[in-house]
Amino acid sequence: MTGLADADLNGTHRTFTWGHTALESEFAVAADGTPRLVRLGGTPPADPEAALPLVELTALGHGSGWSGPRFTGTAFGARLAYRGHRTARHGDWERLTVELHDPATGLTAFAELSSPDGIAVLRSRVRLRNDGTEPLVVQSVSSLLLGGLPSPDALDVHRARNDWLAECRWQSEPLRRAVADINVDAHQHDSRAALVVTGRGSWSTDGHLAMGALTQRDGGRTWLWQIESPAGWRWDLGERAHGSYLALNGPTDAEHQWRVRLAPGEECATVPAALALGSGFDAAMGALTSYRRALRRPHPDHTALPVVFNDYMNTLMGDPTTEKLLPLIDAAAEAGAEYFCIDSGWYDDDTEGWWDSVGEWLPSPRRFPDGGIRAVLDRIRERRMVPGLWLEPEVVGVRSPVAAALPPDAFFQRDGVRLAEQGRHQLDLRHPAARAHLDKTVDRIVGDWGVGYLKLDYNIVVDPGTRAPGDLAPGAGLLGHARAYLDWLADVLDRHPHLVIENCASGGMRMDGATLAVSQLQSTSDQQDPLRYPPIAAAAPTAVPPEQGAVWAYPQPEFDDDLIAFTLGGALLGRIHLSGHLNRMSAHQLGLVRDAVETYKSIRGELARAVPFWPLGLPGWTDEWLALGMRVPAGPSYLSVWRRGGAGELRLSVGHLAGREARAEILHPSAATAGSALWDGDGLRVSLPRTPGVLLVRLTPGG
């Protein structure tokens, strides 16, 4: 463990620095002996007494220094004193570990910070070890704290509502609206108010994305964060010492019934959190996108970006049969699909319905009478596509034979009662029997049947969690299961390295950074209305890199050409997930689909390294015009522009190309009458004469 550097701040505080050229940081030890992050990025250092301690936590018998909803001012936060630090480098990542210790209890905390070279993102988690002689019941632990931010008067806060069929809906407001000015000087006390946003239950992003942002109102700096929790999480913002603070947490006792008992010698760790910096929201999101790519598990799918056809959305809707699938398979191949995923229902052979009987994951003889499901999978391969199947691995229907075959402790439980939700039990992947059951299932489907794509869905939510033997509280059990689930996914991919996994939970209800770091694709929504999908598609890159964000494109034979183009165009800057009754289309209509797919294939290699920007700002749910851009480093920029109403012409600012020559080229739709796009030297002038309308435009610098 390295000691403090000789540097001195204001003549009183010991300091040390760490980072790289894109993320310089400075730490100081305050008068109470606690280390604090006083500078992050290019800003001047904050007063160490105004900054927050590097770690805050609460434990039974050791509460806060004051009451209120804020996660600051804890008793431990003021006692965990600096004991040393060490640095290391692993591949392209710089790492820093700061050790803190509380002599009163013997608790040792390790703040583990990391950052990938050249990317302005700080990742942090905290590890606790009980070096004392008595057990300690921990109720909350910070993942990342940052104080010394500008006054709430100067900041806007951004958060994203994330609801079923209406994902990624960002909204902003002045931070001062949530944290009133109480005249701190008159009271000699900081405000107790805080803006608190939480995620609860086994749907990690139900209600809000596990994200947020602060922007300086003068157009300056942006702080953008994500909490990488597959279960509960919380962030709060408030006022401290005439400035603002940010506290990022995983689950807590108060919000999630999360508690952990640390016996002497035992350890626990928080979920990680990441903070991106930028000169504006788009710049910070670009840094976060690059960080997400650096963090995730390597996989060939991230650069190949094959086109997936899925038979569910607005098509078979969970009712696949050999008779229905064969013509769809042929049509999907003609349209240019490279994967074909049979969605829910392929296992359904129950006259009472499959919802509460799932769990065995065996194909239905009734649905696939001639040659079984293997004959259909063979047909997919014959048409030069990779076969895929839908699976909901974590649930077992209450009528399923698996519910009786597995031991009781293999399921979520509380007070000795097995939990049931919507006619389903929830497997606990910490139990070896639950894991063995799923390993056998996947190895049969992938290893024996040759399936190369799994859409893993999850359509129930359990709140607050499970209390299995050894769990102190349900929230701790939920986080334990969620971590075990991700560990199981990683193990599956180790055994089947070419398998592609799509993460889905009723669309985007589990769109968190921890899961995205393991899976290859992320479902963005279950939205069935093509006119309501554009704001989801346009905002999805805030939550997921474009090459992982699965966006439905479900053209139908009853659509006119404009609506077919509109439905397809919304997916071309993400990961196109084709559906629709293509087998019933005319040759002309199928040609429109094929043209859009070929356009996507021509640009997808660049999407895998592009970063997003929003020329009209983040989309509103009812906006008549929406726009999403993708900027390729040292390459072109792409713009998807949607019109759902309003006047037929619009000018879009493209700041990184302002004042430069550029050539504007419409890539989609192919019809010359669909609209126009003209670069005027500072922005793009777009005309879409009809609604609904869409254009995909490529802007090439230099003409």
Side-chain angles (χ1 to χ4, degrees), residues 58 63 228 303 371 377 482 488 633 684:
T58 57
E228 295 164 8
T303 53
L377 299 176
W488 172 74
L684 184 69

Side-chain angles (χ1 to χ4, degrees), residues 260-280:
V260 173
R261 182 188 302 275
L262 291 182
E266 289 186 333
E267 294 190 6
C268 71
T270 69
V271 300
L275 178 66
L277 305 179
S279 58

Side-chain angles (χ1 to χ4, degrees), residues 366-378:
R366 175 176 56 85
R367 292 180 175 277
F368 308 104
D370 300 318
I373 197 171
R374 291 202 186 200
V376 178
L377 299 176
D378 286 343

